[in-house]
Amino acid sequence: DVHIQNYINGEWAPPTNGLFLDKYNPATGQVILQIPDSASADVDNAVKAVKAAFPLWSKTPVSERAAILLRIADLIDENSSILGTFESLDQGKPVFSAIHFEMPMCAASFRQFAKLITDGGIKESESRLESMITPTSITQPKASITESVTQHIAAGVAGLITPWNFPLPMVCFKIAPCIAAGSTCVVKPTELSSITSFLLSHILHAAGVPKGVVNIIFGSGLGAGEPLVKHKDVKLISFTGGSATGARIGALASGQFKRVSLELGGKNPAVFFDDCNIDHAVTTGIRGAYKNQGEICLCASRQYVQHGIYEKFVEMFRQKVRSDIFVGNPLDPKTFYGPVISQQHMDKVLGYIRLAQEEGATVEFLVNPSDTAVKGVSSDGRLTIEGHEGGYFIAPTLITNIKQSSRVMQEEIFGPVVCILPFGTEEEAVELANDTDYGLSASVWTLDHGKLDRVMRQINAGLVWGNNWLNIDQDMPFGGMGCSGNCRENGKYSLEFYTEVKTLSRHVFD
Amino acid sequence: MSSIISSLPFDPTLTYINGEWVGSSDSQTSSIENPATGQVLATVSESTASDLDAAVQAAHEAFYSGAWVNTYSGAQRRDALLALATSIEDNRQALEHLESLNTGKPIRDVRVELDDTIDLFRHFAGYADKVEGRHIAAQTNAGLEGYTVKVPVGVVGFINAFNYPLCLLAWKVAPALAAGCTVVFKPGPQTPLTTLFFAHLLHSTGRFPAGVFNVVLGGVAVGQALVDHDLVDKIGFTGSVATGKHVIRSTASTARVRATSVELGGKSPGVVMPDADLQRTAELVISGCMSNTGMNCNALTRLWVHRSIYAEFLPLLKAAAEKIVLGVPQSEDTEMGPLIDRRQMDRVLEYIRIGIEEDKAQLLTGDGNHRVGQEGYWVRPTVFQNVDPQARIATEEIFGPVLSVLQPFDSLDDIIEIERKSEFGLAAGIFTRNHSDIARFTRRMRCGTIWVNNYNALYSYLPFGGFRNSGFGRELGYESFDGYLATKAIIDDITY
């Protein structure tokens, strides 16, 4: 029985305008709760509180900040079942994955940044003693000796805007480095999955995060997100979401010289050479296509398989999806993936499926014959699931014989739809992989050492995997090229975003 | 006397101490040979204990006076080293010719060594003005600021080996001078000539104050005096394990403790897997072993070949070894020169005899007559096959053109287990396309350099050095530069 309210300055309150948005359970299509439809007034209150909290928080010793981060992590762990269950209900993802993989990722993020700041991560800076500055002008005729040192300080008030595909992890990945660095933030979580962010506000409060350091306001992108981005006192914006919204945020923020971090979409290629381990490849290709309903910025939505194994690969893919993948109720432990997030999003995904059909591509719905919950499949891939007839379920969709230039191959679909095409040479594979406006991630599959290294190095993506997928080292830089984004996160890269650097340069007397 | 010796721009009977060219204080001299012919090439001085003392005093004074490291900021040291690199480049032909005469190296090889020498001085020049410390504000006590400062270690004494006289000088001297240290340098007793030429070029740039770089000449006695001198802050040594251990012991028995970095021998293994490109690998292996006539501490001298390709691979190795062209080192066609001196030649021939008579190993190349000609110290490339991995020729460092191909093997993981604990740990090579085999080999082997599908490639920016009896400390790369620095921490209460 969850009643979502804004968390501002250590207190919970409804939006000042008294307006609420309906939130639908994606598994049933029914309204399950309402979330505040916050507007400028709430944003103003939140930013005011966060700005007031900044001076003290930024000077709080790192050991105290780290202790609070560790308490947050512990509370997340203690509540992982409840959090994971609500996440599943809210978002549609399978409950097992939410509880056992995604909630621990949230706790780990707070622990990682607690450790980074106490291990000297952000406090470390450069000092260069005695550099000789050569004469530059009439007023400075002699060479002088200068001692320089850098000072790292918290950057200020941040606005954090998060997506609906991994609701709580995304919020945690942003809050943790922000407050670890001594900055403060207003968070505007996605309106499509707000429950766990609301529960997090209670965890932050219980962990002793001082009032005003983290404020969480709920609402839509236009209603609450935009005023936050435009607010003159918000110095930094960190956004994860779709490229179109990212473009708008970037445009709004640059005019005010804000520091902006954009983590956007992807149309990630997977390249499978003849000499890959085909069993491992097919299994991972399936995961890459359908995990989390295909709602992952890193999903392997276009797969290229070398001619020599193409037919075998696709056939193995088909059979394995049909035998292993169950689509249905997210609370059912058998379910591999659940409904997509909303009616609107489902319509968008089905639209791409119809487009592929219209273009004459081969479109297959790989429904598991022993999945008794599936009562029907529409012509464009929508599934009717027993007991969940209003839910937004889409069949595991496989598209072949489609053109590389098709919109289906070039635009991000963000659903359980994968395209698989053959290729010939190594050069062709690289060309096909790079033929995209995006550049977030890619995977390369071959057991040949030299080829693996050569191909990985030539693909223009921020994160390239070799013989694996979705293995993310939280200390290695993460981010995209092109339309996928403009920054790098993780570890010290995230801390750097929330940190300002100064150089102090002192004259040295002989 | 060769015309090149008589036309050198400096007097090779003198040495360079405290910015001046001086003879030995008791007029000692020694003869330097051309190992290709066994003829005397030049006469040089031999430093006495008092010459050594003068050199160290000069380096000490130059260091503490600030001539090199206070008044001369990093940028000025950088510019001095860059000028020196250009000077070496401008005089490279004369240096190449001299090195080839003194060492017997083929002229084509010496050219590559000059490329490396010039690159090394330019590369380490770039570090000179980038010495950085770290500034860390206190974690719990606001107001206490802490920062580190890196300063040069002081006077460095170098004892160089004979196998790459000029190139190894660059490995040592470039980072040491860039860091702000001052240097006393002793070349291998057989190979002082390019070191003296280098000193001349350094002096001629006019950018190195007197005492910053000094050369002493001689053998064991001078080396011992250098190691024993109280005013030396660090010793860098390249040479044999036995001498290296002696150097380490000596540095602990003087009045003052000092740092050492030692680069000792090796018995580096290669592994050829079934999916290797056999022809290309055979050439890489032979070159990996026979380069510089095998007088290379990281030479590939014991080879594991997988059972399934053994019969097919060995004839390729034999052919690659037998086609190496020996000849007058200064000829463009020559691929391999002589050993450095009679002692080294005798040692190598003795090991070949041990291989045949004691280890009972089977020759792949040759018929037992391994010395070539009667003049100079020439030994032909020699390959043994089916050698017991415990044989003396397979485990002891020969330092000559002798390769032991071990008995065939079946499991890479078994080989890795043996080699990662072996006595030496300088380098290793693997030849395969299999990514997983490469990953295991590169991660589990415990040696300083691992070559994958190539051998002997070295770069100024990648560290080189040993594990276990191959030594400790690193040359090349940032790690070597850092070895010539010491760290100070300064803690400052700014609320006071």
Side-chain angles (χ1 to χ4, degrees):
Chain A
D1 206 12
V2 173
H3 188 52
I4 296 185
Q5 295 193 305
N6 291 334
Y7 177 65
I8 297 178
N9 209 27
E11 292 172 358
W12 289 272
T16 49
N17 58 15
L19 296 176
F20 290 82
L21 297 167
D22 284 335
K23 159 67 184 159
Y24 296 81
N25 179 345
T28 62
Q30 305 295 312
V31 174
I32 45 166
L33 53 77
Q34 296 199 303
I35 67 158
D37 187 6
S38 301
S40 299
D42 304 293
V43 172
D44 286 344
N45 289 340
V47 175
K48 191 161 150 220
V50 155
K51 186 177 171 191
F54 175 77
L56 191 57
W57 180 246
S58 62
K59 298 208 175 8
T60 302
V62 280
S63 53
E64 279 178 44
R65 299 210 294 262
I68 291 174
L69 290 165
L70 290 175
R71 279 203 291 278
I72 297 170
D74 287 342
L75 286 168
I76 292 174
D77 276 342
E78 282 162 36
N79 291 282
S80 62
S81 272
I82 302 174
L83 289 166
T85 304
F86 272 113
E87 190 88 308
S88 174
L89 217 80
D90 206 0
Q91 203 278 345
K93 61 177 71 229
V95 68
F96 185 87
S97 179
I99 294 175
H100 295 285
F101 294 117
E102 294 166 39
M103 295 309 107
M105 278 162 63
C106 300
S109 184
F110 284 98
R111 288 198 180 101
Q112 180 198 18
F113 288 104
K115 189 164 181 302
L116 273 176
I117 57 176
T118 51
D119 285 353
I122 56 163
K123 285 298 194 174
E124 196 171 309
S125 57
E126 300 114 61
S127 68
R128 289 182 48 167
L129 269 356
E130 316 232 343
S131 55
M132 182 94 79
I133 309 298
T134 48
T136 52
S137 69
I138 305 171
T139 55
Q140 196 200 319
K142 291 190 331 186
S144 66
I145 301 194
T146 297
E147 183 183 276
S148 306
V149 99
T150 58
Q151 185 194 7
H152 290 206
I153 57 173
V157 169
L160 313 179
I161 300 176
T162 58
W164 47 258
N165 59 342
F166 291 92
L168 191 61
M170 291 291 168
V171 164
C172 293
F173 291 166
K174 292 189 190 311
I175 292 178
C178 178
I179 64 176
S183 293
T184 54
C185 56
V186 175
V187 188
K188 204 294 289 174
T190 169
E191 67 274 30
L192 292 175
S193 270
S194 307
I195 300 177
T196 47
S197 297
F198 173 67
L199 295 175
L200 183 72
S201 70
H202 287 274
I203 286 177
L204 297 174
H205 197 84
V209 176
K211 64 180 188 184
V213 170
V214 179
N215 287 359
I216 306 182
I217 57 169
F218 298 93
S220 68
L222 270 177
E226 195 151 305
L228 181 60
V229 170
K230 295 202 303 210
H231 199 294
K232 68 169 177 48
D233 290 330
V234 172
K235 297 230 184 88
L236 316 145
I237 310 280
S238 178
F239 170 78
T240 298
S243 299
T245 312
R248 179 153 177 77
I249 289 176
L252 286 170
S254 337
Q256 296 177 321
F257 315 111
K258 300 186 190 211
R259 201 185 282 186
V260 178
S261 153
L262 301 171
E263 289 279 4
L264 309 174
K267 190 73 181 181
N268 311 291
V271 178
F272 302 95
F273 285 91
D274 286 347
D275 55 3
C276 69
N277 175 332
I278 198 170
D279 291 309
H280 188 198
V282 169
T283 305
T284 316
I286 291 170
R287 272 179 63 225
Y290 302 126
K291 182 177 162 70
N292 207 49
Q293 300 77 244
E295 295 166 326
I296 312 181
C297 50
L298 302 161
C299 70
S301 46
R302 51 188 179 112
Q303 303 189 6
Y304 300 97
V305 182
Q306 201 165 27
H307 277 303
I309 54 163
Y310 177 76
E311 295 296 345
K312 181 174 176 191
F313 182 101
V314 175
E315 187 50 34
M316 282 172 71
F317 191 102
R318 269 188 202 107
Q319 290 188 9
K320 213 163 164 52
V321 174
R322 283 202 183 103
S323 70
D324 294 359
I325 304 298
F326 289 82
V327 182
N329 179 357
L331 298 175
D332 183 342
K334 221 171 61 257
T335 297
F336 181 79
Y337 72 82
V340 298
I341 189 69
S342 67
Q343 175 80 46
Q344 191 187 19
H345 187 62
M346 180 181 66
D347 291 341
K348 175 184 160 190
V349 176
L350 296 177
Y352 279 105
I353 293 174
R354 286 194 300 274
L355 180 58
Q357 290 167 332
E358 281 156 33
E359 287 177 359
T362 308
V363 178
E364 299 167 65
F365 302 122
L366 305 175
V367 178
N368 192 328
S370 60
D371 190 351
T372 51
V374 176
K375 290 301 169 203
V377 189
S378 71
S379 62
D380 55 1
R382 182 174 184 178
L383 294 179
T384 309
I385 301 291
E386 180 165 47
H388 296 80
E389 282 75 11
Y392 318 124
F393 295 92
I394 300 179
T397 308
L398 167 62
I399 299 177
T400 50
N401 299 311
I402 187 157
K403 287 206 173 74
Q404 170 75 6
S405 57
S406 163
R407 284 180 53 210
V408 179
M409 278 294 278
Q410 293 291 328
E411 294 174 16
E412 187 181 41
I413 299 174
F414 221 62
V417 178
V418 67
C419 299
I420 306 187
L421 289 184
F423 74 89
T425 63
E426 185 180 314
E427 290 71 27
E428 215 191 311
V430 169
E431 214 182 291
L432 288 167
N434 286 337
D435 177 33
T436 171
D437 288 338
Y438 290 102
L440 187 56
S441 72
S443 62
V444 182
W445 296 78
T446 170
L447 292 175
D448 181 309
H449 176 78
K451 182 159 51 177
L452 185 64
D453 212 76
R454 288 192 303 271
V455 175
M456 284 174 77
R457 283 177 192 281
Q458 289 176 80
I459 294 186
N460 301 326
L463 179 44
V464 183
W465 286 294
N467 295 326
N468 64 11
W469 177 74
L470 214 61
N471 290 9
I472 297 181
D473 180 336
Q474 292 297 341
D475 285 312
M476 292 298 282
F478 175 91
M481 304 180 184
C483 294
S484 294
N486 69 353
C487 68
R488 293 293 175 267
E489 293 187 327
N490 278 2
K492 66 175 185 179
Y493 299 89
S494 291
L495 283 178
E496 272 168 23
F497 180 75
Y498 298 101
T499 303
E500 190 79 70
V501 181
K502 294 166 51 178
T503 296
L504 312 174
S505 186
R506 293 181 283 224
H507 179 71
V508 175
F509 293 92
D510 287 336
Chain B
M1 181 84 62
S2 150
S3 64
I4 183 173
I5 301 296
S6 50
S7 64
L8 285 173
F10 61 94
D11 182 351
T13 66
L14 303 177
T15 191
Y16 182 69
I17 293 176
N18 203 19
E20 291 175 352
W21 288 90
V22 295
S24 151
S25 63
D26 65 1
S27 307
Q28 298 262 40
T29 61
S30 67
S31 295
I32 302 304
E33 282 188 329
N34 174 345
T37 61
Q39 304 296 308
V40 170
L41 182 62
T43 303
V44 300
S45 64
E46 193 153 296
S47 304
T48 61
S50 119
D51 296 327
L52 184 285
D53 183 62
V56 176
Q57 296 279 359
H60 180 83
E61 176 61 23
F63 184 79
Y64 282 97
S65 73
W68 187 233
V69 82
N70 281 329
T71 311
Y72 270 68
S73 73
Q76 287 176 270
R77 290 201 300 280
R78 172 200 68 204
D79 292 343
L81 291 166
L82 289 175
L84 180 52
T86 300
S87 179
I88 294 170
E89 192 169 40
D90 292 342
N91 289 272
R92 63 177 296 164
Q93 285 199 333
L95 281 163
E96 285 159 10
H97 206 82
L98 187 61
E99 189 83 308
S100 178
L101 278 176
N102 193 177
T103 61
K105 286 171 192 283
I107 193 76
R108 332 173 340 167
D109 291 352
V110 186
R111 279 199 200 105
V112 175
E113 289 172 32
L114 256 298
D115 288 341
D116 291 346
T117 300
I118 295 160
D119 174 62
L120 281 159
F121 277 98
R122 290 195 169 128
H123 179 75
F124 283 106
Y127 286 124
D129 60 343
K130 298 177 183 62
V131 181
E132 288 182 1
R134 294 182 302 135
H135 184 182
I136 305 160
Q139 306 296 318
T140 52
N141 191 342
L144 262 190
E145 298 286 323
Y147 58 97
T148 65
V149 180
K150 295 240 182 187
V151 296
V153 131
V155 174
V156 184
F158 285 119
I159 297 172
N160 201 13
F162 60 73
N163 56 343
Y164 295 91
L166 187 60
C167 212
L168 285 181
L169 178 155
W171 280 30
K172 295 170 181 338
V173 171
L177 292 181
C181 294
T182 57
V183 169
V184 176
F185 193 93
K186 191 193 85 62
Q190 310 94 323
T191 54
L193 296 175
T194 47
T195 299
L196 291 171
F197 200 151
F198 170 83
H200 163 74
L201 294 175
L202 178 148
H203 181 80
S204 304
T205 63
R207 294 178 185 250
F208 294 81
V212 168
F213 178 77
N214 309 273
V215 179
V216 294
L217 301 178
V220 171
V222 181
Q224 188 69 53
L226 178 58
V227 170
D228 287 344
H229 201 298
D230 279 337
L231 296 182
V232 172
D233 294 293
K234 176 165 174 161
I235 293 284
F237 170 84
T238 296
S240 71
V241 176
T243 313
K245 287 184 178 173
H246 178 77
V247 165
I248 295 166
R249 252 181 255 119
S250 301
T251 60
S253 56
T254 46
R256 266 209 294 160
V257 167
R258 83 278 311 280
T260 42
S261 177
V262 294
E263 208 274 275
L264 310 176
K267 193 73 180 180
S268 301
V271 183
V272 186
M273 299 295 287
D275 68 339
D277 174 336
L278 296 185
Q279 180 57 48
R280 190 164 158 186
T281 301
E283 285 160 22
L284 286 169
V285 166
I286 291 301
S287 146
C289 179
M290 307 300 175
S291 209
N292 209 43
T293 317
M295 297 180 294
N296 176 359
C297 45
N298 45 283
L300 193 173
T301 48
R302 62 186 252 137
L303 186 71
W304 293 98
V305 179
H306 196 270
R307 188 180 303 279
S308 61
I309 46 159
Y310 204 89
E312 193 189 341
F313 186 65
L314 259 57
L316 300 174
L317 272 182
K318 179 177 158 79
E322 286 174 349
K323 79 173 176 44
I324 294 178
V325 175
L326 280 66
V328 172
Q330 291 74 39
S331 161
E332 297 288 339
D333 300 325
T334 298
E335 293 170 338
M336 187 165 121
L339 291 159
I340 191 63
D341 58 16
R342 175 169 299 276
R343 187 162 154 242
Q344 196 59 27
M345 180 185 71
D346 288 344
R347 181 192 162 95
V348 173
L349 292 172
E350 174 60 7
Y351 266 108
I352 295 173
R353 186 201 67 76
I354 289 169
I356 296 169
E357 292 173 20
E358 291 176 25
D359 294 330
K360 305 274 189 257
Q362 194 191 347
L363 280 168
L364 179 63
T365 61
D367 54 5
N369 291 326
H370 296 268
R371 184 177 184 186
V372 182
Q374 291 304 308
E375 307 204 325
Y377 313 115
W378 299 82
V379 174
R380 57 178 103 253
T382 305
V383 184
F384 286 94
Q385 61 181 318
N386 261 302
V387 180
D388 182 332
Q390 313 275 33
R392 285 190 63 191
I393 54 166
T395 52
E396 295 174 27
E397 189 180 36
I398 298 172
F399 222 63
V402 182
L403 174 66
S404 290
V405 183
L406 305 177
Q407 290 154 359
F409 80 93
D410 299 295
S411 151
L412 176 63
D413 291 314
D414 291 346
I415 301 311
I416 293 173
E417 275 320 293
I418 295 168
E419 295 295 345
R420 70 198 299 259
K421 296 173 195 147
S422 69
E423 184 199 343
F424 292 104
L426 191 54
I430 185 166
F431 301 88
T432 175
R433 286 196 189 90
N434 186 297
H435 178 69
S436 174
D437 286 347
I438 291 168
R440 285 193 327 286
F441 190 82
T442 52
R443 271 138 199 72
R444 292 185 58 77
M445 281 299 290
R446 289 180 55 78
C447 54
T449 300
I450 299 168
W451 282 292
V452 178
N453 298 325
N454 74 109
Y455 205 85
N456 273 341
L458 291 173
Y459 295 92
S460 55
Y461 48 85
L462 280 180
F464 176 91
F467 285 54
R468 300 180 298 284
N469 268 0
S470 292
F472 53 83
R474 289 293 176 265
E475 300 197 90
L476 304 180
Y478 179 76
E479 281 77 359
S480 76
F481 181 70
D482 198 49
Y484 298 107
L485 298 171
T487 306
K488 301 184 332 193
I490 295 158
I491 299 130
D492 186 350
D493 187 343
I494 62 170
T495 67
Y496 185 81

